[in-house]
Amino acid sequence: MKKIIVIGAGHGGMQAAEVLAEGGFDVTVYEKNDIEHLSRDRWDTIETAVFEELDIPVPEGTFKDGCCAFTAPFSDKQLVLDLPEEKRDWTVDRRVLAAQLADKAINAGAEFIFEKTVERLVFDNTGVIGVVVDGKEIPCDLVIDASGVFSPFRASLPERFRVTKQPDKEDVFYTWDAFLTSNPDIKYPDYYGFLMHLKYKGEKCVAWCVEEFEDKCAAFIGKAGGMSKEEFDRLFAELKKDYPFMGDKILRGGKFQNIPIRYPLTRMVADGYAAVGDSAFMTIPLIGCGVANALRAGRILGEKIVEEKSVSVETLWHYQVEYYQKIGAPCFLIDCVKRFLLNANNDELKYLFESDIISNDELSGILNGKISFVSLSELIGKIRKAHKIKGLFGGLFKSVFKGLGAMKTAVSIPKEYNPLKIAKWQLKLEETMK
């Protein structure tokens, strides 16, 4: 029986563990935290369809997301995503979902070892052959890395694997979020659900504050490239000015976290190794939400191994191919648009919102990873509007066309494991994204 070790109880890793254990594999999950402290201590919006698609019960306490609006720096114009309730995402307690996924994997036969840290990977001249825990080598046939954006295990892989070791600084959101008390004497402002500030206060930052329940509100601040304590204090003070109903007492959360906001790894697998979730940069590159992507990826990984009865690199490559074709390719376009939005001149970005170059539905689709295409006449109209500001015209459409080119390359991923063809494809894709 093949032995598989999952490092970290991430959503994707646990989904893979369940499928693999049901398929008859010997699966062990090592997690540094206890079962009550899995995942980030926050609520998140997760695509409704994924629960039915993967036969995951909707966790207790989950509720439908409200409508939301987006705004540019120093602009009162709001682009509103106003979906009917049945099409809105679920708002889910991440820890409740994580504990549920752990229970499902355990019931399927996977072993979980909590409060235990994997120290390093073990290699031979072919690839990964085990891990070290408490100073002892534990051999295995496959390691699934679900240890997060700054995975030390991914970083330790040999250069010949051609797996990106660490993300660039600008490709990570350094975030803070918490539930806080709310001031009952100050009425919550009357907009759609919540208002997401893109480039909050003109910085490479996303922020919001929303009244989730009658007696508490949720606040979020995320900045690309890093956020010092002084920067956070300043931005938090600004958020409190904009949302005076926000209280001072933190009820839950209040910790700093790192979230990848970039396109997925161009190499997710190697001999004896597969990355999933944040370890493979599986979030949507602008908003940093990746639970649905990770869950789907974990299911794909598990099913490929069970179907082919193999953990060979050839089988693992089939996992990456399916992920790219079903989920990953649009993330390259979103990544390019993200870079434009975070680096655009604030006046240009304000004009972008107020001129309706991007409609409500188009912006919301980009933010949520759902790409739609416009007709030629609509595109010509957008170009005419954007041409009024030289920087906007050059930056926006250059980023879109660059992203479309990267998407085209991404979906042309070699279908079978051929190191030479894969290296050529990977080089072309990474060169396009520079």
Side-chain angles (χ1 to χ4, degrees), residues 134-149:
D134 290 337
K136 179 182 177 181
E137 290 191 7
I138 302 174
C140 65
D141 299 289
L142 172 65
V143 169
I144 296 176
D145 184 356
S147 64
V149 56

mmCIF file of all heavy atoms in Angstrom, residues 134-149:
data_model
loop_
_atom_site.group_PDB
_atom_site.id
_atom_site.type_symbol
_atom_site.label_atom_id
_atom_site.label_comp_id
_atom_site.label_asym_id
_atom_site.label_seq_id
_atom_site.Cartn_x
_atom_site.Cartn_y
_atom_site.Cartn_z
ATOM 1 N N ASP A 134 10.273 14.947 14.633
ATOM 2 C CA ASP A 134 10.948 14.662 15.908
ATOM 3 C C ASP A 134 12.306 14.013 15.694
ATOM 4 O O ASP A 134 12.720 13.108 16.439
ATOM 5 C CB ASP A 134 10.077 13.754 16.791
ATOM 6 C CG ASP A 134 8.841 14.453 17.319
ATOM 7 O OD1 ASP A 134 8.864 15.701 17.391
ATOM 8 O OD2 ASP A 134 7.859 13.770 17.646
ATOM 9 N N GLY A 135 13.000 14.453 14.650
ATOM 10 C CA GLY A 135 14.334 13.945 14.371
ATOM 11 C C GLY A 135 14.370 12.578 13.722
ATOM 12 O O GLY A 135 15.449 12.047 13.437
ATOM 13 N N LYS A 136 13.217 11.991 13.447
ATOM 14 C CA LYS A 136 13.154 10.650 12.875
ATOM 15 C C LYS A 136 12.676 10.713 11.434
ATOM 16 O O LYS A 136 11.694 11.378 11.125
ATOM 17 C CB LYS A 136 12.192 9.790 13.705
ATOM 18 C CG LYS A 136 12.040 8.368 13.187
ATOM 19 C CD LYS A 136 11.027 7.596 14.023
ATOM 20 C CE LYS A 136 10.813 6.194 13.463
ATOM 21 N NZ LYS A 136 9.810 5.433 14.257
ATOM 22 N N GLU A 137 13.364 9.988 10.557
ATOM 23 C CA GLU A 137 12.953 9.916 9.162
ATOM 24 C C GLU A 137 11.760 8.979 9.005
ATOM 25 O O GLU A 137 11.773 7.856 9.499
ATOM 26 C CB GLU A 137 14.111 9.442 8.283
ATOM 27 C CG GLU A 137 15.232 10.463 8.133
ATOM 28 C CD GLU A 137 16.232 10.081 7.058
ATOM 29 O OE1 GLU A 137 15.978 9.095 6.337
ATOM 30 O OE2 GLU A 137 17.259 10.773 6.933
ATOM 31 N N ILE A 138 10.726 9.460 8.320
ATOM 32 C CA ILE A 138 9.531 8.666 8.050
ATOM 33 C C ILE A 138 9.405 8.529 6.543
ATOM 34 O O ILE A 138 9.108 9.510 5.853
ATOM 35 C CB ILE A 138 8.279 9.328 8.644
ATOM 36 C CG1 ILE A 138 8.445 9.520 10.154
ATOM 37 C CG2 ILE A 138 7.037 8.510 8.339
ATOM 38 C CD1 ILE A 138 7.327 10.299 10.795
ATOM 39 N N PRO A 139 9.652 7.353 6.010
ATOM 40 C CA PRO A 139 9.584 7.187 4.553
ATOM 41 C C PRO A 139 8.152 7.242 4.038
ATOM 42 O O PRO A 139 7.202 6.893 4.748
ATOM 43 C CB PRO A 139 10.195 5.798 4.328
ATOM 44 C CG PRO A 139 9.965 5.072 5.612
ATOM 45 C CD PRO A 139 10.022 6.104 6.703
ATOM 46 N N CYS A 140 7.980 7.697 2.807
ATOM 47 C CA CYS A 140 6.669 7.700 2.170
ATOM 48 C C CYS A 140 6.861 7.734 0.661
ATOM 49 O O CYS A 140 7.960 7.977 0.155
ATOM 50 C CB CYS A 140 5.833 8.882 2.641
ATOM 51 S SG CYS A 140 6.480 10.495 2.178
ATOM 52 N N ASP A 141 5.756 7.496 -0.035
ATOM 53 C CA ASP A 141 5.796 7.495 -1.499
ATOM 54 C C ASP A 141 5.440 8.842 -2.105
ATOM 55 O O ASP A 141 5.745 9.107 -3.263
ATOM 56 C CB ASP A 141 4.839 6.427 -2.024
ATOM 57 C CG ASP A 141 5.219 5.034 -1.548
ATOM 58 O OD1 ASP A 141 6.236 4.520 -2.038
ATOM 59 O OD2 ASP A 141 4.513 4.497 -0.677
ATOM 60 N N LEU A 142 4.740 9.680 -1.314
ATOM 61 C CA LEU A 142 4.339 10.999 -1.807
ATOM 62 C C LEU A 142 4.146 11.939 -0.624
ATOM 63 O O LEU A 142 3.565 11.552 0.394
ATOM 64 C CB LEU A 142 3.029 10.910 -2.594
ATOM 65 C CG LEU A 142 2.382 12.239 -3.018
ATOM 66 C CD1 LEU A 142 3.271 12.987 -4.010
ATOM 67 C CD2 LEU A 142 0.992 12.008 -3.607
ATOM 68 N N VAL A 143 4.632 13.167 -0.781
ATOM 69 C CA VAL A 143 4.346 14.247 0.165
ATOM 70 C C VAL A 143 3.435 15.252 -0.521
ATOM 71 O O VAL A 143 3.745 15.737 -1.615
ATOM 72 C CB VAL A 143 5.633 14.950 0.637
ATOM 73 C CG1 VAL A 143 5.296 16.237 1.405
ATOM 74 C CG2 VAL A 143 6.463 14.023 1.513
ATOM 75 N N ILE A 144 2.289 15.549 0.105
ATOM 76 C CA ILE A 144 1.401 16.609 -0.369
ATOM 77 C C ILE A 144 1.628 17.820 0.524
ATOM 78 O O ILE A 144 1.417 17.762 1.737
ATOM 79 C CB ILE A 144 -0.075 16.173 -0.321
ATOM 80 C CG1 ILE A 144 -0.298 15.000 -1.272
ATOM 81 C CG2 ILE A 144 -0.992 17.347 -0.691
ATOM 82 C CD1 ILE A 144 -1.708 14.425 -1.228
ATOM 83 N N ASP A 145 2.072 18.891 -0.075
ATOM 84 C CA ASP A 145 2.446 20.097 0.664
ATOM 85 C C ASP A 145 1.254 21.045 0.734
ATOM 86 O O ASP A 145 0.858 21.646 -0.253
ATOM 87 C CB ASP A 145 3.626 20.771 -0.047
ATOM 88 C CG ASP A 145 4.162 21.991 0.698
ATOM 89 O OD1 ASP A 145 3.579 22.363 1.740
ATOM 90 O OD2 ASP A 145 5.165 22.572 0.233
ATOM 91 N N ALA A 146 0.668 21.168 1.933
ATOM 92 C CA ALA A 146 -0.433 22.104 2.174
ATOM 93 C C ALA A 146 -0.065 23.024 3.325
ATOM 94 O O ALA A 146 -0.895 23.360 4.167
ATOM 95 C CB ALA A 146 -1.722 21.341 2.481
ATOM 96 N N SER A 147 1.201 23.455 3.336
ATOM 97 C CA SER A 147 1.731 24.186 4.496
ATOM 98 C C SER A 147 1.714 25.695 4.348
ATOM 99 O O SER A 147 2.166 26.405 5.243
ATOM 100 C CB SER A 147 3.164 23.725 4.797
ATOM 101 O OG SER A 147 4.035 24.051 3.729
ATOM 102 N N GLY A 148 1.208 26.219 3.218
ATOM 103 C CA GLY A 148 1.032 27.658 3.132
ATOM 104 C C GLY A 148 1.913 28.366 2.128
ATOM 105 O O GLY A 148 2.794 27.780 1.496
ATOM 106 N N VAL A 149 1.676 29.670 1.995
ATOM 107 C CA VAL A 149 2.316 30.474 0.965
ATOM 108 C C VAL A 149 3.837 30.473 1.072
ATOM 109 O O VAL A 149 4.542 30.445 0.066
ATOM 110 C CB VAL A 149 1.759 31.918 0.989
ATOM 111 C CG1 VAL A 149 1.911 32.558 2.344
ATOM 112 C CG2 VAL A 149 2.406 32.780 -0.088
#
